[in-house]
Amino acid sequence: MEQSKQSLIKILLIINLAINTCAAIGVGYVVYKQSMRTDFSGRGDGQGFPGNGHFQQRQTQSEQTQ
């Protein structure tokens, strides 16, 4: 009984390691593909913060009215 529990735990640990390795490779691939992207048209103001330019524009307009 004890031997079967230990072998089951070892199998589950190996499966867990394989899943985590695949997830890490997938995340690394996505990050790599995003860093190699040269088209910044869909990223708001080009700095990766969508709408950031609009917020600064509204802030500037409110300062002008004061």
Side-chain angles (χ1 to χ4, degrees):
M1 186 70 176
E2 185 66 29
Q3 182 68 22
S4 64
K5 282 185 181 180
Q6 286 182 351
S7 64
L8 179 64
I9 290 174
K10 286 180 183 180
I11 291 170
L12 290 175
L13 285 172
I14 291 170
I15 291 171
N16 190 18
L17 179 65
I19 291 171
N20 288 335
T21 302
C22 291
I25 290 170
V27 169
Y29 176 75
V30 169
V31 169
Y32 171 75
K33 291 298 275 187
Q34 286 291 324
S35 69
M36 297 304 289
R37 226 176 115 194
T38 57
D39 178 28
F40 295 106
S41 62
R43 297 184 70 185
D45 63 344
Q47 296 179 0
F49 301 106
N52 192 23
H54 298 294
F55 174 73
Q56 289 178 354
Q57 184 180 11
R58 278 187 275 147
Q59 181 182 8
T60 305
Q61 288 175 354
S62 65
E63 289 174 354
Q64 290 175 355
T65 58
Q66 289 179 353

